[in-house]
Amino acid sequence: MPPAYRFPTPRTPHGPGLGTLLELLAETRLVTLTGPAGVGKSHLAARLAETVTDLPVHHCDLSDCADAALVPQTVAAALHAGTAPGSGTDPTEAVVRLLAGRRGLLVLDTCERVRAGCAYLVGRLHDSCPGLQIVLTSRTPIGVPDEQRVPLHPLSREHTVELLREKAATQGVDLPVFWTRLLAERLDGDPLSVLLAARTLGRSTTPQQLYGSLCEPGARFGVLIHGPQRPARHRTLLRSIAWSHDLCGRAERLLWARLSAFTGSFTAEQVRTVFASDEELAALVDASVVLADDDGSYRLPLAHREYGQLLLAELGQL
C-alpha cells in the first residue's frame, strides 16, 4: 500500500514531474526513484501508478521483506492477491509466467534492504517481459543493466514553507508566516520532517517550543514522533534515519558519524585529507545519505548530520 499521507507532487528542484517520468519510463522500461529517507519516493511511485490508466498496474511493498531470497515469493503473493504460489512452485517462474506476454506496470516499493533479490527478479522480468515497465523505489540503486536512476532532492525553502502551512492547516493550526519561515529553515527541505512537524503542532505544541527543539542538536528526534502506523519506518524521524544507518556497512557508518563534524558542505578532497576515505564517501552518496551539490561539493542533510553527531557521542569522539 502507498503511504497514508500525501507528499507534494515532485517538481524542480525536488524532482521531475509525472509527465517527464512517464516519458522516461516509456523509453527505458526500468526506473529507480532514489533519495534520502522521507523525501517522497513511495508517494511519487504511487502517484505515477495512478496516472497509468491504460495498463494493468501491479504494486508490491517490500518494506517487510527482510530476506533477499524471499523477494520473488513476496512479489508473487502480491500479484496473486496475497496468496503465495502453491508448494513446489518456483515463485520467480510464477511471476514471470503471470507477466510475460502482457503490457503493464510493476511497482516494487522499498527495495533497499533486499537489493540482491530485487536485482535477480527484475533482471529476469526485464529480459522475459518486453511489455512490462518497472518502477522501483530505493535509497540506493539495485545495480542492474538498463536501470535509470532518478534522484529526488529535498524541497526548496519556498516549497517547504508552502507544505508546512498546508499540513499545519490540516491539523487545525493557522501557522503565522514568521514562524513558518523559521521552522522551514530548520526542517531542511525534508518532506517527512515537515509532515511530522505539522502533526506535532496539531498536538498543542507551540511553534516556539517546536523551533526550540529543532535548534537543539538531536532534539528533533524526540519531537518528530507522530507519524502514521504505516509505513512503520516513517512513524518517527529517528526510525526513518536509523533505517538508512542499518543499511550501511561498518566503515560507512563510521564515516557518516565523522562527516557530521562538518558544519556545512565539504569536498571529496577534504574528506580524503581528514579521514583518508574515498570508497566509503562514494557508498554514502550512492545510498542517498550524503547529497552531492551542483558545484561538486557534498553535504549531510541536517537530520542525517544530527544523527551522526549522536553516533559520535556514542563513540566518545564528539
Side-chain angles (χ1 to χ4, degrees), residues 29-40:
R29 291 182 46 225
L30 176 56
V31 169
T32 300
L33 304 176
T34 65
V39 79

Side-chain angles (χ1 to χ4, degrees), residues 24-306:
L24 182 61
L25 192 58
E27 294 173 0
T28 65
R29 291 182 46 225
L30 176 56
V31 169
T32 300
L33 304 176
T34 65
V39 79
K41 301 178 292 293
S42 297
H43 172 70
L44 178 56
R47 287 291 308 276
L48 188 67
E50 289 174 359
T51 66
V52 177
T53 57
D54 58 338
L55 296 175
V57 177
H58 311 280
H59 183 278
C60 179
D61 182 359
L62 294 169
S63 59
D64 292 330
C65 181
D67 188 339
L70 296 179
V71 168
Q73 182 175 345
T74 304
V75 175
L79 297 182
H80 286 87
T83 303
S87 178
T89 302
D90 183 342
T92 301
E93 294 302 326
V95 174
V96 171
R97 283 198 303 269
L98 181 64
L99 299 177
R102 304 180 185 181
R103 297 176 66 238
L105 173 65
L106 173 65
V107 177
L108 299 182
D109 193 11
T110 317
C111 299
E112 55 262 20
R113 283 205 304 176
V114 285
R115 289 175 60 206
C118 289
Y120 172 72
L121 179 62
V122 167
R124 286 289 309 277
L125 291 173
H126 193 263
D127 292 341
S128 305
C129 309
L132 184 68
Q133 297 173 331
I134 305 172
V135 173
L136 313 175
T137 74
S138 178
R139 300 189 189 186
T140 183
I142 64 171
V144 295
D146 300 322
E147 178 184 19
Q148 181 67 50
R149 179 178 187 175
V150 177
L152 303 187
H153 308 289
L155 295 167
S156 67
R157 185 67 52 78
E158 175 188 351
H159 291 158
T160 304
V161 168
E162 291 177 4
L163 182 62
L164 180 57
R165 293 207 74 190
E166 173 191 333
K167 295 305 178 182
T170 65
Q171 299 295 321
V173 177
D174 184 13
L175 191 59
V177 173
F178 173 77
W179 284 109
T180 305
R181 294 190 177 280
L182 284 180
L183 290 171
E185 182 179 349
R186 301 301 303 171
L187 294 171
D188 198 31
D190 175 35
L192 177 60
S193 292
V194 171
L195 294 167
L196 295 178
R199 286 176 172 238
T200 299
L201 291 169
R203 291 171 175 259
S204 301
T205 299
T206 67
Q208 296 94 321
Q209 291 171 331
L210 178 57
Y211 182 70
S213 296
L214 294 177
C215 288
E216 182 180 345
R220 69 181 62 233
F221 298 119
V223 295
L224 301 182
I225 57 175
H226 301 297
Q229 293 301 306
R230 297 287 303 175
R233 65 187 182 280
H234 288 173
R235 199 168 300 164
T236 70
L237 180 63
L238 180 62
R239 181 176 294 195
S240 181
I241 303 298
W243 176 284
S244 291
H245 182 259
D246 291 344
L247 296 171
C248 295
R250 182 176 180 180
E252 295 155 15
R253 294 177 184 182
L254 180 59
L255 181 60
W256 179 347
R258 289 174 170 174
L259 290 177
S260 69
F262 289 109
T263 57
S265 60
F266 49 86
T267 66
E269 180 62 29
Q270 288 174 320
V271 174
R272 283 192 295 268
T273 301
V274 179
F275 303 120
S277 175
D278 229 355
E279 293 183 3
E280 290 80 8
L281 176 61
L284 289 176
V285 173
D286 199 47
S288 305
V289 171
V290 172
L291 301 182
D293 290 329
D294 293 337
D295 61 2
S297 64
Y298 301 90
R299 69 181 181 90
L300 277 172
L302 188 53
H304 289 72
R305 178 172 177 264
E306 292 188 5

